[in-house]
Amino acid sequence: MNALITIENCKNCGQHVENHNFCPNCGAKKITNRITPKHLISEFIERFFNLDNSFIRTFIHLFTKPEEVIGGYINGLRKRYIHAFGYFAISATIMGFYSFVVKGRLGDLMTNPLNSSLSMEQIETQNSIVDFIFQYQTLLNFLLIPILALLSRIVFLNYKKYNLTEHLVIYLYAYSHIISLMAIIVLPFIFFSYNLTTITLIQFSGYIIYVAFVLKRLYSINLKKILLKTLLFIILGGVSYIILILIAFLIMLLIGVVEPPFT
């Protein structure tokens, strides 16, 4: 069952590799072991938790020195940290698992009398919206990043340090990082608390504080300036949120996810 596989040619480029451990043409490692549970676990650990592949380094430094991770990527640093889209992909995986775990519980919280006084029809509409959000969560998060980048660029319009595309990179890292972290932090609250408002407040506060911290470090500005920029960002974000909710609701009406409120 665990016998070695005979490999004569590289599976990636076709180069003869019978007497080599690595392909002399493309550098790929010659894999001769069959896949086993032990092999899968060790490969997972190597890819995501090995310091050599920089996951832990990226995760820690996005707390301690985000300007080095994000600013480094923008300025051409590619090997020391996980690249921006790779970090988003890891975040999407974490959020997918989070959604799977909490989906039913969130539905219970939303219909709890402590959090809602909606009618049965309104609860059904609300549940349909939640199902839609969970189903397309990765896509929605990915579409949200350019919106956050645009709002951020408008807020920092008087600073020329980073353009719109570079703000996109900032949020691929910062937003991916904080939504994954907050998902882990609020998980116990979701299962041991009935107060949905508190959970939402914790998440929202975490998002705002961390993004403000990242932008402060990247732009090297003082506390007063970042507080004013954050306030402006919240105002613009609130208006954008209302517009996006209306657009999303219209789309869900058109595709039949929810019923018209007045029929």
Side-chain angles (χ1 to χ4, degrees):
M1 190 71 176
N2 295 326
L4 296 179
I5 303 171
T6 301
I7 302 293
E8 295 184 357
N9 297 312
C10 176
K11 297 295 184 180
N12 297 285
C13 67
Q15 175 73 28
H16 186 71
V17 293
E18 187 175 3
N19 298 319
H20 302 276
N21 291 323
F22 293 87
C23 176
N25 182 49
C26 69
K29 184 178 180 180
K30 183 173 71 173
I31 306 297
T32 57
N33 293 317
R34 299 191 66 173
I35 295 178
T36 63
K38 181 180 178 181
H39 171 79
L40 286 176
I41 292 171
S42 63
E43 185 169 290
F44 175 82
I45 293 173
E46 180 181 351
R47 287 190 177 276
F48 290 100
F49 296 103
N50 194 314
L51 284 173
D52 291 340
N53 87 358
S54 71
F55 173 75
I56 294 178
R57 186 189 300 120
T58 304
F59 182 82
I60 293 174
H61 286 184
L62 279 170
F63 283 118
T64 59
K65 40 188 175 182
E67 70 280 8
E68 182 175 307
V69 180
I70 303 171
Y73 182 90
I74 290 171
N75 293 317
L77 182 65
R78 294 293 187 270
K79 295 294 185 181
R80 188 176 302 169
Y81 301 106
I82 295 174
H83 61 82
F85 283 102
Y87 205 74
F88 174 82
I90 293 173
S91 171
T93 302
I94 294 172
M95 291 306 297
F97 178 75
Y98 169 80
S99 299
F100 175 78
V101 172
V102 306
K103 182 179 178 181
R105 175 58 176 170
L106 280 179
D108 294 339
L109 286 176
M110 288 181 173
T111 56
N112 190 287
L114 292 175
N115 300 309
S116 175
S117 58
L118 301 177
S119 65
M120 288 303 298
E121 291 79 9
Q122 291 172 320
I123 289 173
E124 288 178 5
T125 299
Q126 180 178 261
N127 289 338
S128 297
I129 293 172
V130 171
D131 288 340
F132 179 84
I133 291 172
F134 277 125
Q135 185 176 355
Y136 297 101
Q137 184 178 72
T138 299
L139 177 61
L140 292 173
N141 281 332
F142 188 73
L143 294 176
L144 183 60
I145 287 175
I147 297 172
L148 293 173
L150 178 60
L151 292 175
S152 184
R153 184 68 191 97
I154 293 171
V155 169
F156 284 89
L157 197 59
N158 58 326
Y159 289 81
K160 306 301 181 184
K161 187 173 183 180
Y162 299 111
N163 61 32
L164 179 59
T165 305
E166 289 164 341
H167 274 266
L168 185 67
V169 171
I170 291 171
Y171 284 91
L172 277 170
Y173 275 116
Y175 182 69
S176 300
H177 187 69
I178 193 59
I179 63 171
S180 301
L181 179 67
M182 293 310 299
I184 296 170
I185 290 175
V186 303
L187 194 59
F189 290 91
I190 289 176
F191 285 97
F192 296 104
S193 171
Y194 285 95
N195 195 326
L196 193 57
T197 302
T198 300
I199 296 171
T200 303
L201 184 61
I202 292 172
Q203 285 183 303
F204 182 75
S205 300
Y207 299 157
I208 294 297
I209 292 170
Y210 179 73
V211 171
F213 164 71
V214 169
L215 292 170
K216 182 182 186 301
R217 296 290 288 263
L218 284 168
Y219 277 97
S220 301
I221 57 179
N222 60 38
L223 182 60
K224 180 180 178 180
K225 286 183 179 179
I226 195 59
L227 288 176
L228 291 173
K229 294 291 186 184
T230 301
L231 179 61
L232 179 57
F233 187 94
I234 292 173
I235 294 171
L236 292 175
V239 174
S240 301
Y241 178 77
I242 293 171
I243 294 172
L244 288 173
I245 288 295
L246 292 174
I247 293 173
F249 186 73
L250 288 174
I251 292 173
M252 286 187 285
L253 279 176
L254 291 173
I255 64 177
V257 173
V258 297
E259 296 295 328
F262 305 107
T263 56

